Amino acid sequence: MNKPPEKSHDGHGLETRLTHAGRWPEDQHGFVNTPVTRGSTVLFPTLADLQAGGQPYRYGRTGNPTTHGVETIVSDLEGAAGTVLAPSGLSAISTALWSCLNTGDELLMTDSVYQPTRKFCDGVLARFGITTRYYDPRIGAGIADLVAPNTRAIFTESPGSLTFEIQDLPAIADAVKDRGITILADNSWATPLYYRPLELGADVVVHAGTKMFIGHSDAMFGTISANEAAWPALVETHRLTGTCASPDDAFLAARGLRTLGVRMKEHQQRALLLAEWLEKQEGVTRVMHPALPAHPDHDIFMRDFSGAGSLFAFILAPGPREALAAMVDDMELFGMGFSWGGYESLILPTEPGRIRTAVPWTETGPVMRVHTGFEDIDDLKADLAAGLERYRAALG
Ligand SMILES: *Cc1c(COP(=O)(O)O)cnc(C)c1O
């Protein structure tokens, strides 16, 4: 793509780059932030200009200064050859998969993937003759045994949605090296501040920008970044499918990204405090947070991640639906809802057993997903403690 020259931030740390990348005050009268450029039509003064090509911006759908700023920040953070934007995380995922799969190909998909990703594969890719085979998220180098002659892509998500398995991405990448297989990673949980999939062997990284990048529960957004090898097919597919993000949402993403570093630190610290506290609560049978030493993939987490996100889960002792309702219906601070990544804490009962196919989920107690926001930690603990007490009381 044709883009304005980028200032180099080489040698600076990720937080410095997060602060300075992707904005050009000198081009906008000194104002710090790139304003929202709403627009479809871009005017060309002469026929020669119209036919020349090469201008950074030619039509609203293919980008403007606001969207270009966000692409630049995310590419810089991920160490990518380029980044394109999507109107949601799921749209980023579907665009990424379209870019590397053709009719007759097979996709290997982690069994722990975000459920709508699964539904896209089973419901849409299948219609175009692309088969999806689900694999154990903990398979590591064993992925080599699953690879068929028509395997063209492997999708990873680490930690897994709802159940927080950590994948051995370097082992997976190493096991299928030089076989023309594109490796994709959904990096929404850790963000590039804490996990760098392109450095660990992935070719394409997607983000539900809706979550940590936007950071305030006020917009839908997605990003797709690629290394040099995967970039041409990605950028072509993105363009041909008409995928684009609204400039207003791109502005909110840029604004969210500026504070991502400090937000992630607070999310990480608070989530860990809650997770450690929950480990000691009666009625909680297991806490699934990869930064806890008891987590089965803790060693891989410590090796490959430099921090943890806001989201984890815990399992309750088995109980009836009424007990679960007694717990969640009367939470005072924790909201119940899909999505995550905002400043406000959320709790969500989930049912991985209804989703998994490669590795059956055998736990029988409710799996509670927690997003830790910025309320006082003691207030959050008190809210959870009261909820757990209602749950235990309803068990009788
Ligand atoms: C929410 C989510 C998505 C999808 O993002 P949307 O913006 O809601 O489409 C993808 N992956 C993960 C891990 C998510 O949590």
Side-chain angles (χ1 to χ4, degrees):
M1 295 223 288
N2 299 304
K3 294 182 171 167
E6 171 54 44
K7 267 189 284 185
S8 170
H9 299 291
D10 283 354
H12 286 139
L14 285 177
E15 292 188 345
T16 302
R17 284 144 65 180
L18 202 48
T19 310
H20 287 274
R23 56 187 179 86
W24 303 273
E26 61 280 12
D27 296 346
Q28 58 213 20
H29 315 287
F31 282 96
V32 168
N33 293 296
T34 309
V36 180
T37 303
R38 289 201 192 89
S40 51
T41 308
V42 177
L43 298 176
F44 302 91
T46 66
L47 180 65
D49 290 314
L50 180 73
Q51 293 176 338
Q55 300 91 342
Y57 308 114
R58 288 181 63 84
Y59 182 50
R61 191 177 61 226
T62 55
N64 63 53
T66 319
T67 59
H68 174 55
V70 179
E71 291 167 353
T72 306
I73 302 168
V74 178
S75 285
D76 194 8
L77 291 180
E78 289 286 3
T83 296
V84 287
L85 307 182
S88 69
L90 186 56
S91 170
I93 290 163
S94 62
T95 305
L97 287 168
W98 284 129
S99 77
C100 58
L101 290 163
N102 294 298
T103 297
D105 289 349
E106 180 184 74
L107 162 69
L108 293 180
M109 174 60 76
T110 178
D111 205 24
S112 56
V113 76
Y114 176 67
Q115 193 185 15
T117 302
R118 199 176 181 109
K119 289 187 169 170
F120 169 74
C121 297
D122 298 344
V124 179
L125 291 185
R127 281 202 286 119
F128 291 83
I130 297 163
T131 52
T132 303
R133 219 158 21 121
Y134 293 90
Y135 66 87
D136 179 349
R138 299 198 162 104
I139 198 164
I143 196 97
D145 299 335
L146 294 188
V147 171
N150 65 336
T151 303
R152 289 278 72 87
I154 300 173
F155 194 99
T156 65
E157 184 182 319
S158 191
S161 272
L162 311 184
T163 46
F164 297 88
E165 299 91 342
I166 296 292
Q167 297 200 248
D168 194 338
L169 177 57
I172 289 174
D174 200 48
V176 304
K177 209 164 60 196
D178 301 326
R179 297 180 70 163
I181 296 173
T182 304
I183 300 179
L184 304 97
D186 183 330
N187 195 22
S188 304
W189 183 82
T191 82
L193 292 178
Y194 293 162
Y195 190 53
R196 320 257 304 149
L198 296 179
E199 289 169 8
L200 297 172
D203 302 290
V204 177
V205 180
V206 293
H207 282 278
T210 309
K211 314 293 170 49
M212 300 316 312
F213 290 0
I214 292 283
H216 297 74
S217 309
D218 52 6
M220 304 295 298
F221 199 69
T223 70
I224 318 139
S225 306
N227 62 14
E228 293 287 352
W231 175 244
L234 171 62
V235 84
E236 182 183 41
T237 304
H238 180 262
R239 186 167 291 228
L240 296 184
T241 52
T243 310
C244 60
S246 108
D248 292 270
D249 296 339
F251 178 87
L252 289 175
R255 184 152 97 164
L257 280 160
R258 300 302 175 197
T259 58
L260 184 67
V262 285
R263 285 189 290 112
M264 286 302 287
K265 275 185 195 150
E266 284 296 321
H267 282 303
Q268 159 166 254
Q269 192 194 348
R270 286 152 193 262
L272 252 174
L273 285 172
L274 271 194
E276 284 165 354
W277 176 83
L278 276 162
E279 273 188 317
K280 294 180 228 130
Q281 302 310 303
E282 198 190 327
V284 174
T285 57
R286 188 149 72 92
V287 178
M288 297 183 288
H289 188 312
L292 294 176
H295 190 278
D297 309 318
H298 183 65
D299 291 348
I300 302 176
F301 173 78
M302 294 302 284
R303 185 193 69 193
D304 292 348
F305 289 70
S306 57
S310 64
L311 205 64
F312 66 97
F314 63 94
I315 305 178
L316 289 168
R321 194 179 169 284
E322 300 75 61
L324 189 58
M327 176 172 175
V328 296
D329 288 357
D330 285 330
M331 299 300 290
E332 190 193 349
L333 301 175
F334 280 89
M336 189 162 42
F338 299 107
S339 200
W340 50 277
Y343 51 84
E344 80 291 7
S345 292
L346 300 168
I347 192 163
L348 186 72
T350 70
E351 295 184 85
R354 298 166 73 102
I355 303 171
R356 302 302 160 89
T357 53
V359 190
W361 182 254
T362 53
E363 298 272 0
T364 51
V367 176
M368 310 297 285
R369 191 183 76 174
V370 173
H371 164 70
T372 319
F374 298 146
E375 299 91 342
D376 286 287
I377 196 76
D378 289 339
D379 294 338
L380 292 179
K381 283 181 189 170
D383 200 23
L384 279 176
L388 288 169
E389 201 170 300
R390 289 192 298 275
Y391 186 77
R392 290 191 301 261
L395 291 185

